[in-house]
Amino acid sequence: MKTIKKQIANLLTASTMILLVVSAAFTKISGQNDPVRLGFIPLTDCSPIVMAKELGLFKKYGVEVVVTKESSWANVRDKILTGELDGAHCLYSMPFSVYTGVGGKAGSEMKIAMMLNVNGQAITLSNDFCGKVGFKQMNKVTPVVAAKLKAEKEVTFAMTFPGGTHDLWLRNWMSIAGLNQKAVKIITIPPPQMVANMKVGNMDGFCVGEPWGGVAVKQGIGFTQVASQDIWKDHPEKALVVNKDFSTKRKADLVKVMKAVMEACIWLDNPSNRKKAASIIGRAPYVNAPADVIEARLMGDYNLGCNQGTQVYAKDYMLFHKGGTVNYPRKSYAIWAMAQFVRFGYLKEAPNYAAIADKLILQDLYEEVAKSMKIKIPNDDMKPFSLTMDKTVFDPSNPAAYLKVVKR
């Protein structure tokens, strides 16, 4: 009897060992024990990911994260799609640009888990225009550009990714200013290379996130013509965008990442923390830019350059949480972005707006995370909204009506 019991025990032990080996092998194959790989572009609004790492928040929520600096938005796109990156700090409109074929192979899926910030981008003009046009003087932009065109000099503006947010702010600004978008050249330049390219005369103006607008002013090569929050107060900007398979196969890890990033967003919205954030973000491994420039614009204190003085943004500077209103990934904003693709000729026909927004935005997952953290979920999605500067009203349930009346 004892022999039989011993044999049974040995069999059970062997079975347990086999199960453990199989389980370990499966875990290795599925990547469950691999660190999460998150990319970022050197911009001030990469702060939620960087600070989640620096403050130990990823560890707090039990997930190992490797944070890597990337060279361009196209590089981020490619690495997310191939799975080399599990996710990244990303232009919120980029997944829609890629999926519709504007900025990538049509049908390629990148998922939005949550938003990271609003506001904090700027359109910078070369000092060649200094004294000819000032801050927000839209009516003076057109004749200045026209004069340069008459002098048979090509006018060139730069943005960072076709259909990305910087592209959309630039094109909306041009429309408000009355510029013929077919009469100027628009090129794509990675954010950290904007200032250097303007310095050697490769473009007359650019739209990009901070701190590069502030750096251009500090170096005396350009001035802030308008901030993006003047075009649309509290506009959506960057998002946490993830690989499709990562969002399903490693959902538990994604939830942990989201919680850590959310806590970093809350921390960043405390003004007393922004000096520390600027000193960290400015370091070479991250943005590699002067901490004083990062801090000033983080605090809403904009030295505009070109003897224009200072513009102070008291409530509509770069925000990362705002009681949860920032982080909620709205489908209405996705539809607005895709309507711009039609408006500005990237798409010949309207896409299936609602279906694409449903496919690419992980809104249910965000709500699950927000509720677990007792963060309020806004109730304004899919309601009409208006832009600040041109007063256009956008109804996400009827983009066609908007496109009939809006200027190109």
Side-chain angles (χ1 to χ4, degrees):
M1 189 69 176
K2 288 182 178 179
T3 302
I4 293 173
K5 286 183 177 180
K6 187 174 181 180
Q7 289 175 340
I8 291 172
N10 289 338
L11 285 171
L12 289 173
T13 301
S15 298
T16 301
M17 290 299 295
I18 290 170
L19 286 172
L20 288 172
V21 170
V22 170
S23 176
F26 176 78
T27 298
K28 186 174 182 180
I29 292 170
S30 65
Q32 290 298 315
N33 285 339
D34 290 344
V36 176
R37 297 153 298 180
L38 298 181
F40 70 91
I41 292 291
L43 290 162
T44 301
D45 49 31
C46 74
S47 295
I49 287 176
V50 171
M51 294 312 302
K53 181 74 172 178
E54 289 284 337
L55 295 171
L57 298 176
F58 291 127
K59 288 184 179 179
K60 173 183 174 179
Y61 287 97
V63 60
E64 184 182 354
V65 173
V66 174
V67 173
T68 62
K69 182 191 289 190
E70 304 300 329
S71 59
S72 68
W73 292 121
N75 184 246
V76 168
R77 172 201 62 199
D78 294 345
K79 287 186 175 181
I80 290 178
L81 290 175
T82 62
E84 187 175 343
L85 286 175
D86 296 308
H89 149 257
C90 195
L91 304 161
Y92 103 86
S93 58
M94 198 162 94
F96 313 109
S97 171
V98 172
Y99 187 85
T100 57
V102 173
K105 183 180 178 182
S108 301
E109 295 182 32
M110 302 163 68
K111 304 284 190 175
I112 292 181
M114 63 183 288
M115 298 298 295
L116 298 178
N117 76 293
V118 297
N119 305 325
Q121 320 302 297
I123 291 173
T124 301
L125 294 182
S126 163
N127 274 346
D128 290 344
F129 294 144
C130 183
K132 301 172 184 176
V133 57
F135 186 59
K136 292 197 286 188
Q137 290 180 315
M138 295 299 178
N139 61 328
K140 291 188 177 182
V141 173
T142 307
V144 168
V145 171
K148 187 165 186 179
L149 287 169
K150 282 183 179 180
E152 298 181 353
K153 294 180 181 178
E154 187 174 57
V155 176
T156 302
F157 293 129
M159 49 78 180
T160 62
F161 188 85
T165 54
H166 303 130
D167 188 17
L168 301 186
W169 311 144
L170 177 66
R171 292 179 186 276
N172 271 267
W173 169 78
M174 290 173 68
S175 176
I176 296 167
L179 297 178
N180 181 351
Q181 302 195 22
K182 293 181 180 180
V184 301
K185 184 179 181 181
I186 299 177
I187 60 175
T188 302
I189 299 289
Q193 298 176 25
M194 285 291 190
V195 175
N197 273 272
M198 180 173 277
K199 188 177 291 185
V200 297
N202 286 343
M203 68 275 220
D204 300 286
F206 62 77
C207 182
V208 74
E210 296 301 342
W212 305 114
V215 170
V217 170
K218 182 166 185 172
Q219 293 189 8
I221 63 166
F223 62 95
T224 300
Q225 206 282 318
V226 69
S228 57
Q229 54 264 40
D230 292 306
I231 298 171
W232 178 4
K233 181 182 176 182
D234 290 346
H235 65 79
E237 185 50 42
K238 300 302 189 300
L240 174 62
V241 174
V242 297
N243 171 270
K244 179 183 177 182
D245 287 343
F246 177 72
S247 71
T248 55
K249 295 178 181 178
R250 297 184 66 181
K251 179 182 173 182
D253 283 337
L254 175 54
V255 167
K256 293 173 184 176
V257 167
M258 291 170 68
K259 288 181 177 180
V261 172
M262 185 81 79
E263 188 167 330
C265 287
I266 294 169
W267 183 89
L268 283 161
D269 261 10
N270 184 338
S272 64
N273 291 329
R274 294 203 168 189
K275 185 178 184 66
K276 179 179 179 179
S279 68
I280 293 172
I281 296 299
R283 295 172 187 168
Y286 299 127
V287 177
N288 194 24
D292 62 332
V293 175
I294 296 174
E295 181 186 353
R297 296 213 167 185
L298 262 179
M299 297 302 292
D301 188 0
Y302 282 49
N303 174 6
L304 301 173
C306 188
N307 300 313
Q308 297 181 105
T310 299
Q311 172 78 12
V312 177
Y313 293 92
K315 296 181 179 179
D316 51 354
Y317 52 177
M318 191 180 289
L319 297 169
F320 299 92
H321 184 65
K322 202 176 180 180
T325 60
V326 169
N327 307 114
Y328 187 54
R330 293 168 177 81
K331 295 178 182 180
S332 55
Y333 291 168
I335 295 171
W336 180 87
M338 287 184 279
Q340 305 309 302
F341 302 162
V342 178
R343 174 187 181 186
F344 296 120
Y346 278 129
L347 296 178
K348 293 181 180 179
E349 297 181 356
N352 190 334
Y353 297 108
I356 296 171
D358 288 343
K359 181 184 288 287
L360 301 185
I361 298 177
L362 303 176
Q363 199 173 77
D364 289 345
L365 180 62
Y366 174 83
E367 291 178 1
E368 175 187 321
V369 171
K371 287 176 182 176
S372 73
M373 298 182 75
K374 294 181 172 53
I375 291 170
K376 185 178 180 180
I377 297 169
N379 62 358
D380 59 352
D381 197 12
M382 296 306 293
K383 293 181 180 179
F385 57 86
S386 62
L387 271 64
T388 307
M389 188 165 279
D390 68 359
K391 309 299 181 185
T392 54
V393 177
F394 183 78
D395 183 350
S397 65
N398 192 3
Y402 161 86
L403 289 171
K404 285 181 180 179
V405 301
V406 76
K407 294 179 181 179
R408 292 199 172 198

